[in-house]
Amino acid sequence: MHAMDLDGRVALVTGGGSGIGRATATRLASEGMRVCVVDLDGDAARAVAEPIGAEALTADVARSGEVDAAFAECAARLGSVDLAFLNAGISVGISDLAELTDDEYRRIMGPNVDGVVFGARAAIRRMRAQGTGGVIVATASLAGLIAFAPDPIYTLTKHAVVGLMRSIAPTVAADGITAHAVCPGLTDTNILGAETKAALRDAGFPLMGPEQIAEAVVTAARAPAEQSGTCWVCQPGREPTPYGFRDVPGPRSEGAEGKVPPGLRDDGPGIFRR
Ligand code: NAD
């Protein structure tokens, strides 16, 4: 389903009760999709779902059982899951690693890493069983592409999301499934908190509306299959932009050039071939 026809298909959106998830659920509904809004905060999910004629589910994406149940319930109510937007996430805002407690560390790994792994796994299983392909989009961040000193653990989790989406893309291609990450810069949602927003405003730094990230999700969903594995950078005033990763140097030893290790795909120029 590439250059995906969104109309009439089914989307499941995690973290759909607020911010980027809310804007994306609303946008996907306006594209004719039937939407299932999933959030830890069930009231927020229902408040988003009701006006757009969507379904609402309460689930903690950090718990694999709840993620699997949400995918099953979405498919039971709406017939399938064709687009999974794995977006729920939090930040911890601790810049000095020495101050990080075990509890804070575990608290963020749950939604930001476990949640995306469990969501992607549930999506692949379901889409493979449906046999009609699908799209998986996860919300990473610019902090998935750059070093972000104010929150190194958040940065760790978003690099994980980028690596996961890029690395599953080749394997799920055979099932007609594409995998993408969206990488927003600073976006006007609750995750930033009033103090940060005020400081950014005072510094004259532009914030994006969450609708701009929804646009990137739609762009990813409609991208041709060859673009699977793309990280879409979202910055104020710019169209969603595919991030260009640089190749790393290949082996230099005599005779290694052009060789691809057994079990890896020969994807053309990359780590193993220049
Ligand atoms: P937000 O706080 O407005 O929304 C996050 C939503 O996720 C909330 O509704 C919350 O209840 C839900 N959620 C949190 N933990 C959950 C869990 N365990 N299970 C299910 N739902 C859970 O913030 P947002 O900015 O819309 O965040 C969405 C995503 O965007 C996050 O992954 C965030 O890291 C990412 N992001 C945000 C920005 C930004 O500047 N706002 C920039 C880059 C990336």
Side-chain angles (χ1 to χ4, degrees):
M1 68 182 175
H2 295 291
M4 187 195 185
D5 208 1
L6 302 178
D7 195 12
R9 311 300 287 267
V10 176
L12 181 151
V13 177
T14 74
S18 174
I20 292 168
R22 173 171 54 201
T24 305
T26 305
R27 170 67 188 273
L28 295 175
S30 79
E31 297 284 345
M33 294 197 87
R34 287 169 303 139
V35 177
C36 191
V37 179
V38 180
D39 206 287
L40 186 60
D41 181 342
D43 289 339
R46 279 185 289 278
V48 171
E50 206 255 336
I52 60 171
E55 299 289 329
L57 296 173
T58 309
D60 181 350
V61 298
R63 296 173 180 272
S64 63
E66 294 189 27
V67 173
D68 290 346
F71 274 76
E73 185 62 21
C74 174
R77 292 191 196 179
L78 299 175
S80 61
V81 180
D82 305 305
L83 189 162
F85 182 39
L86 310 174
N87 162 75
I90 60 171
S91 63
V92 286
I94 296 170
S95 58
D96 183 356
L97 200 57
E99 287 174 11
L100 181 76
T101 64
D102 288 10
D103 283 351
E104 282 294 77
Y105 178 53
R106 293 295 164 211
R107 193 170 73 83
I108 186 169
M109 292 303 275
N112 289 31
V113 176
D114 299 350
V116 178
V117 172
F118 298 151
R121 182 178 65 181
I124 295 166
R125 287 176 176 165
R126 182 147 297 275
M127 289 170 186
R128 203 169 264 166
Q130 288 166 189
T132 49
V135 179
I136 302 168
V137 183
T139 305
S141 169
L142 284 192
L145 300 170
I146 61 167
F148 183 60
D151 199 337
I153 298 299
Y154 180 78
T155 304
L156 165 89
T157 67
K158 296 304 185 179
H159 273 66
V161 171
V162 163
L164 182 71
M165 289 300 116
R166 296 182 73 210
S167 303
I168 64 173
T171 300
V172 299
D175 303 292
I177 302 170
T178 59
H180 296 259
V182 288
C183 297
L186 291 165
T187 310
D188 192 355
T189 71
N190 290 340
I191 205 173
L192 293 183
E195 221 171 274
T196 306
K197 282 192 207 180
L200 289 166
R201 247 193 317 271
D202 290 349
F205 194 90
L207 286 180
M208 279 174 291
E211 302 75 22
Q212 202 179 316
I213 321 308
E215 176 67 29
V217 175
V218 169
T219 301
R222 291 194 169 131
E226 307 74 61
Q227 264 187 299
S228 186
T230 294
C231 297
W232 300 88
V233 171
C234 308
Q235 284 281 46
R238 292 187 189 274
E239 298 287 305
T241 307
Y243 184 71
F245 287 88
R246 285 189 63 180
D247 291 338
V248 302
R252 212 172 166 201
S253 52
E254 195 71 29
E257 223 158 277
K259 297 247 162 54
V260 178
L264 289 176
R265 289 157 43 107
D266 181 0
D267 282 331
I271 301 178
F272 307 111
R273 293 204 299 120
R274 305 291 313 208

